[in-house]
Amino acid sequence: MMRWDRPAGGREPAAAALLGWLSDAQAPRLCLVSGSEGCGKSALLAWLVHHGSRPGGLPERTVHAVVPPSPDESVLATVWSIADQLGVVARAPWELVPALAADGRRTVIVLPAVRGGAVAQLVLALADVPGVRLVVESRSGSPAHRLLSGSGCAELDLDLEQWRDERRFAQWQASQPSPHEVAGMPKPKAVVDLWDPVAVCRADASTVTAAYERARRGEHGGLREAWLRAGQSLCRDGDPASRALTLLAALGDGADPRLASALAEAAAASAWCWEWSRVSGDLVPPWPGPVSALAVGEGPLAGAVLVTGPSGSVRVVRMGDGGARGRIAVGSFQPQSVSVLADGTVLVLDEAGRVHADGSWVARPTGSGIARLLDEGPTGREVLLAALRDHVGTAIACAAGPDLGVVAVGDAAGEVRAFGDWEGAAVLHRGEVNAVAALGMPVGSEGVVPLVYSGGADGTVRAWSPGHAPMAAPLAERDSAVVSVDAAMTQSGPALTVAWGDGAVEWIEVDTGARRTFRPGPLVRAVALAPDGRLVVGMDEYLVCLTPGSPAQLAPGGVQSRP
């Protein structure tokens, strides 16, 4: 049995009550730890966090997220801290609450030193989520305490004698040279120049967030809007260069042009080089809209990235600068996945998993009309498209081959099926296949070998070559579902990019296992990787193109559970 460390200051009765509350399935979901200043609230919460974070502890006593106390209390910084620790992405409370509700697992969140009513309102919203338990510290009489204490919560008022062992308290007090609080409120941070992009990249993230929350829209030359778009990433423990890159990616074209120059210079030491961004509201070139799927163009569409979204169309965007190149009308359905055959045929999955093909960019065949009439029977392309239309999938990808190429389709049962020059099927995942990528790998005199990469709801990325058994071990694995994958043969060899449900994008060099990570802040909807090394990341509010910068870090064995 694990030893129970005693809390300081004779607070054993309060600690036992907290543990009893955690173990009681019928107890209120919110426990309010209150009392006057200096009564030991922070020390008790510090003990609970230590006790609930030890390996091998009881599951019902495990603490899953702790919001660092800050003198600049910010609702958004609180949301981003909780989301980041729980492996979800949320721009605001209205996204955090449903994200935790959809997860459904038991989740214990500790919030020390809550003072204001805004964060208290967030606490009440979270307390309505089944499975979520909250331990909140608030000084008696504060606005937060007044709001929360009347909510039907369980309350530990540490000013009451019943929550203290007087004998042990006297012994502890005699051993202390002065009143002691283990995790008191940090001192206010230095004032930050919110117009200076370099200064905000170096400043305390919660301080900057609180200041931009109080500011009005349009202030600070567009820097405020970029910070609030990318905030969850910026509030992680990041170096100034990485923060500068993240801010640069989220900066709209209406921002003060001096900001982009300063941020580009500050981001020079990051793992990525920024190429371009298209942000909601951009006019020149125009923002292509929210992203649901991406694909790199082939054949007549080479040099472009295809962008699908809820608009029901496919926008063709130049890979070099993000400018508009064209548009493909695919019907009244909402595209879920998109890919391109070598001849420029665009394949799109609708919301029911059916394949739709558009050949408007395909070069017309040469020869006389009489010769085409005499050539009876369907073409190989037509046979392939007919086979695809008979299949229901969740994700689709194409790669070049000796003739038609290969098309890989994943489904809801975890199976990936190959069509075209190579055929076959393999069950690669437990649960739904969320994304697939295909790559024609040149292999000496043998020509091309097809490789299929798939990402699943089970949090794994796996590799398979049709006609062979799948690789036994995953290429990558995390405690988060895969959102999107893409692959390309780059100058340094085959590369794979993966977007995860916790907001991370990884670039993996397949041969060496070396990798680099980018976190834009919002939830990533799709990624696309071009042979020249350009990586396009699509989100609800912006599209960003990056290329690798400094050398990637080698991951032992080529498998990484967490960054």
Side-chain angles (χ1 to χ4, degrees):
M1 181 180 294
M2 180 174 290
R3 181 177 176 270
W4 179 36
D5 293 334
R6 291 180 178 272
R11 288 299 180 185
E12 289 87 351
L18 267 179
L19 298 181
W21 169 79
L22 283 171
S23 303
D24 184 357
Q26 304 303 316
R29 294 179 186 144
L30 168 62
C31 180
L32 179 62
V33 178
S34 62
S36 57
E37 185 175 358
C39 70
K41 301 184 297 298
S42 297
L44 180 63
L45 261 66
W47 169 85
L48 178 67
V49 170
H50 171 72
H51 184 83
S53 303
R54 296 183 299 175
L58 297 175
E60 64 266 24
R61 295 180 179 179
T62 300
V63 173
H64 302 93
V66 184
V67 178
S70 171
D72 302 292
E73 199 168 67
S74 163
V75 174
L76 289 179
T78 301
V79 166
W80 296 335
S81 177
I82 294 172
D84 199 58
Q85 293 176 69
L86 298 181
V88 299
V89 179
R91 288 172 289 184
W94 53 269
E95 286 189 343
L96 178 62
V97 170
L100 298 188
D103 185 282
R105 290 177 293 180
R106 176 183 171 87
T107 304
V108 177
I109 304 170
V110 176
L111 294 95
V114 175
R115 305 178 306 283
V119 174
Q121 290 285 359
L122 170 63
V123 168
L124 292 176
L126 292 172
D128 283 337
V129 178
V132 171
R133 291 290 186 96
L134 298 115
V135 184
V136 177
E137 173 204 348
S138 187
R139 189 180 70 248
S140 295
S142 67
H145 176 261
R146 289 195 297 270
L147 182 61
L148 297 176
S149 62
S151 64
C153 65
E155 183 169 356
L156 278 175
D157 184 349
L158 297 191
D159 287 337
L160 300 178
E161 294 183 359
Q162 68 192 76
W163 303 124
R164 186 168 67 192
D165 182 310
E166 293 297 338
R167 182 180 63 82
R168 291 188 57 80
F169 174 71
Q171 292 174 347
W172 172 82
Q173 193 175 42
S175 66
Q176 302 299 314
S178 59
H180 182 65
E181 285 267 327
V182 173
M185 180 63 61
K187 295 180 180 179
K189 303 294 190 299
V191 176
V192 181
D193 183 354
L194 300 175
W195 288 87
D196 184 346
V198 176
V200 300
C201 289
R202 293 175 177 171
D204 175 72
S206 62
T207 299
V208 176
T209 301
Y212 281 146
E213 265 186 295
R214 294 189 297 265
R216 293 189 302 272
R217 183 177 180 83
E219 290 185 341
H220 309 296
L223 197 57
R224 172 188 179 271
E225 284 69 31
W227 182 280
L228 296 182
R229 285 188 195 104
Q232 186 170 333
S233 176
L234 296 166
C235 285
R236 288 173 61 89
D237 292 331
D239 62 279
S242 297
R243 281 187 177 178
L245 176 83
T246 303
L247 265 180
L248 181 60
L251 200 66
D253 68 357
D256 186 323
R258 294 171 295 183
L259 293 176
S261 299
L263 287 170
E265 183 177 349
S270 72
W272 299 93
C273 296
W274 174 81
E275 296 288 319
W276 50 262
S277 296
R278 295 293 166 258
V279 179
S280 174
D282 281 4
L283 299 176
V284 183
W287 173 56
V291 174
S292 61
L294 297 171
V296 174
E298 299 286 348
L301 289 166
V305 59
L306 278 66
V307 182
T308 74
S311 62
S313 65
V314 179
R315 295 178 183 269
V316 184
V317 173
R318 291 192 299 268
M319 183 69 78
D321 61 5
R325 183 171 158 185
R327 184 171 179 170
I328 302 171
V330 295
S332 59
F333 61 86
Q334 300 298 317
Q336 303 300 307
S337 183
V338 63
S339 193
V340 187
L341 289 170
D343 65 356
T345 300
V346 177
L347 303 179
V348 183
L349 281 186
D350 64 20
E351 56 266 75
R354 297 292 182 180
V355 179
H356 300 257
D358 180 272
S360 57
W361 289 72
V362 178
R364 298 291 175 244
T366 58
S368 69
I370 295 176
R372 290 197 297 273
L373 287 172
L374 293 175
D375 186 14
E376 296 181 356
T379 64
R381 175 178 175 274
E382 290 168 342
V383 172
L384 172 61
L385 294 179
L388 290 172
R389 290 191 183 101
D390 290 336
H391 195 74
V392 175
T394 54
I396 192 167
C398 308
D403 185 14
L404 298 170
V406 63
V407 180
V409 181
D411 67 21
E415 183 180 71
V416 178
R417 184 174 293 273
F419 300 84
D421 294 345
W422 300 272
E423 296 187 347
V427 176
L428 301 180
H429 298 278
R430 300 183 306 276
E432 186 169 316
V433 177
N434 288 348
V436 288
L439 185 63
M441 176 79 75
V443 182
S445 59
E446 298 181 20
V448 176
V449 172
L451 286 176
V452 175
Y453 301 99
S454 64
D458 59 1
T460 64
V461 177
R462 295 188 177 274
W464 167 58
S465 181
H468 301 81
M471 288 182 61
L475 283 175
E477 186 173 13
R478 293 166 68 93
D479 296 329
S480 181
V482 177
V483 174
S484 176
V485 296
D486 200 11
M489 181 61 67
T490 68
Q491 291 183 347
S492 59
L496 179 70
T497 184
V498 185
W500 301 90
D502 63 1
V505 175
E506 280 189 296
W507 166 303
I508 304 171
E509 294 178 8
V510 176
D511 290 341
T512 65
R515 65 189 67 207
R516 65 187 75 232
T517 302
F518 172 61
R519 286 182 178 268
L523 183 64
V524 176
R525 301 296 184 181
V527 289
L529 181 60
D532 64 4
R534 284 189 170 96
L535 169 65
V536 180
V537 180
M539 295 154 281
D540 288 342
E541 291 189 55
Y542 56 108
L543 190 71
V544 58
C545 180
L546 308 169
T547 52
S550 58
Q553 295 181 344
L554 186 65
V559 176
Q560 179 173 324
S561 296
R562 286 191 178 275

